[in-house]
Amino acid sequence: MKRFEGKIVLVTGGNRNTGLDLVEKFVREGARVFMCGSSERSTAAGAEALKARGLEGVVSQACDVGNKAQVDALFDTIEREAGRLDILVNNAADQGLGLGGPLEMDPESILKVMNTNVKGGFQVTQAACNRFFMKQESRGAVVFLSSNTAMRAIRNRTAYCASKGAINSMVRALALDLAPLGIRVNCCAPGYIYTERWDKLDEKTKARRRLNCPLRHEAKGSDIANVVAFLASPESSNMTGEIVTCDAGCSCQHMPEDVDC
Ligand SMILES: NC(=O)c1ccc[n+]([C@@H]2O[C@H](COP(=O)([O-])OP(=O)(O)OC[C@H]3O[C@@H](n4cnc5c(N)ncnc54)[C@H](OP(=O)(O)O)[C@@H]3O)[C@@H](O)[C@H]2O)c1
């Protein structure tokens, strides 16, 4: 029997990059998966990409996770189509790219990034608990995606780093409150992941990034999916409130090898 046979899984932001690998992991291990992107267009493109990978039966519906009415509508669909939910993966993220440095960025842009990454993740989790987990004998597991930048900042990404730090704190707070109810909340904190954005980088930049990694390579989406699947599975049944870093060793080093002295 496959590990997630009979399980119903929701992956937010499951329509591109790491999200596609997360959906693939759960489908290949037997789950029925629902996924959303933020818009009709991006979600439809994601559905096509999943079909191109030979993955059938994924239910896709556009849902801006920061918009409560759209979250409710997505959960109406899950209720109608599956009648339960076992695993929620909060993967959707606003990368907060191009907002500028702290001297010039619009303070309102912090709220936009927080709306997706923090409020969005919270309200999807709240809906999962109230609409499904609390009504089911076997409760549920939630896995957030944060980032190693929650602990070690990157430049000109104040809003993103702040939102990922908030996710780490929120994971611990949610885990504490939901543990007595039998609901586990954990988090995977990736470092570099290969995405379509890497395809626009020159080879020198890619090589330099890899030199930042003690293991000398960025993660594949499937590396992250393996960690998320573990945190969603009964194999981690004694874990909650954990932030599991998956970053090729970046967080354990003080400085990359070429500047270490
Ligand atoms: N890539 C990395 O190197 C890296 C490193 C550390 C952590 N992470 C984290 O790992 C996760 C996956 O990273 P990634 O690089 O694969 O992400 P990504 O390429 O930026 O994709 C983000 C996903 O989130 C969706 N999304 C954005 N805003 C949304 C909203 N308001 N409602 C619903 N969906 C929304 C996007 O959908 P649309 O297509 O509709 O925009 C897209 O599917 C993210 O949480 C990211 O922060 C990534």
Side-chain angles (χ1 to χ4, degrees), residues 171-187:
V171 162
R172 287 186 282 263
L174 288 170
L176 196 63
D177 288 336
L178 296 174
L181 306 174
I183 300 166
R184 296 188 303 115
V185 185
N186 287 295
C187 181

Side-chain angles (χ1 to χ4, degrees), residues 9-145:
V9 179
L10 169 60
V11 179
T12 66
N15 59 307
R16 61 185 165 93
N17 289 331
T18 314
L20 291 171
D21 296 307
L22 290 165
V23 172
E24 177 162 2
K25 178 75 180 167
F26 285 104
V27 172
R28 296 220 184 274
E29 295 213 29
R32 180 153 187 230
V33 180
F34 291 73
M35 72 83 172
C36 70
S38 66
S39 70
E40 298 286 349
R41 215 171 93 178
S42 66
T43 305
E48 286 307 312
L50 291 166
K51 277 192 201 137
R53 291 182 181 208
L55 304 172
E56 298 295 335
V58 177
V59 180
S60 56
Q61 179 169 320
C63 170
D64 173 354
V65 295
N67 179 314
K68 185 162 185 320
Q70 292 185 29
V71 171
D72 288 342
L74 175 61
F75 277 78
D76 288 345
T77 299
I78 298 172
E79 188 144 32
R80 198 173 55 246
E81 301 270 326
R84 65 178 290 117
L85 183 69
D86 300 286
I87 293 161
L88 165 63
V89 182
N90 282 310
N91 167 69
D94 182 332
Q95 296 284 340
L97 289 165
L99 300 178
L103 300 187
E104 66 270 10
M105 68 180 269
D106 178 359
E108 293 302 315
S109 61
I110 294 233
L111 293 182
K112 180 179 170 290
V113 173
M114 290 284 185
N115 193 57
T116 297
N117 298 1
V118 184
K119 186 187 120 186
F122 176 79
Q123 74 185 355
V124 176
T125 302
Q126 186 179 56
C129 292
N130 286 331
R131 297 274 301 255
F132 296 109
F133 296 165
M134 290 305 294
K135 296 178 182 160
Q136 297 167 189
E137 197 178 324
S138 102
R139 294 288 163 83
V142 182
V143 184
F144 278 80
L145 275 291

Side-chain angles (χ1 to χ4, degrees), residues 93-261:
D94 182 332
Q95 296 284 340
L97 289 165
L99 300 178
L103 300 187
E104 66 270 10
M105 68 180 269
D106 178 359
E108 293 302 315
S109 61
I110 294 233
L111 293 182
K112 180 179 170 290
V113 173
M114 290 284 185
N115 193 57
T116 297
N117 298 1
V118 184
K119 186 187 120 186
F122 176 79
Q123 74 185 355
V124 176
T125 302
Q126 186 179 56
C129 292
N130 286 331
R131 297 274 301 255
F132 296 109
F133 296 165
M134 290 305 294
K135 296 178 182 160
Q136 297 167 189
E137 197 178 324
S138 102
R139 294 288 163 83
V142 182
V143 184
F144 278 80
L145 275 291
S146 75
S147 167
N148 64 355
T149 64
M151 300 302 291
R152 288 164 182 257
I154 47 176
R155 289 173 178 78
N156 294 328
R157 297 284 290 282
T158 300
Y160 180 77
C161 294
S163 76
K164 293 299 184 176
I167 287 174
N168 284 4
S169 293
M170 186 165 73
V171 162
R172 287 186 282 263
L174 288 170
L176 196 63
D177 288 336
L178 296 174
L181 306 174
I183 300 166
R184 296 188 303 115
V185 185
N186 287 295
C187 181
C188 173
Y192 293 122
I193 310 171
Y194 195 99
T195 65
E196 63 199 4
R197 291 186 292 279
W198 278 62
D199 296 335
K200 298 188 186 112
L201 301 174
D202 56 48
E203 289 308 314
K204 199 174 151 214
T205 306
K206 286 185 206 171
R208 183 64 191 82
R209 284 189 178 193
R210 288 172 181 141
L211 194 58
N212 286 340
C213 304
L215 284 176
R216 294 286 180 267
H217 51 76
E218 71 282 12
K220 299 188 286 300
S222 58
D223 294 320
I224 305 305
N226 287 338
V227 175
V228 169
F230 166 70
L231 292 173
S233 78
E235 290 154 35
S236 61
S237 60
N238 198 38
M239 292 170 67
T240 197
E242 285 299 329
I243 316 295
V244 179
T245 302
C246 180
D247 71 351
C250 284
S251 297
C252 75
Q253 77 182 342
H254 183 47
M255 284 184 275
E257 192 176 292
D258 58 337
V259 289
D260 211 352
C261 53

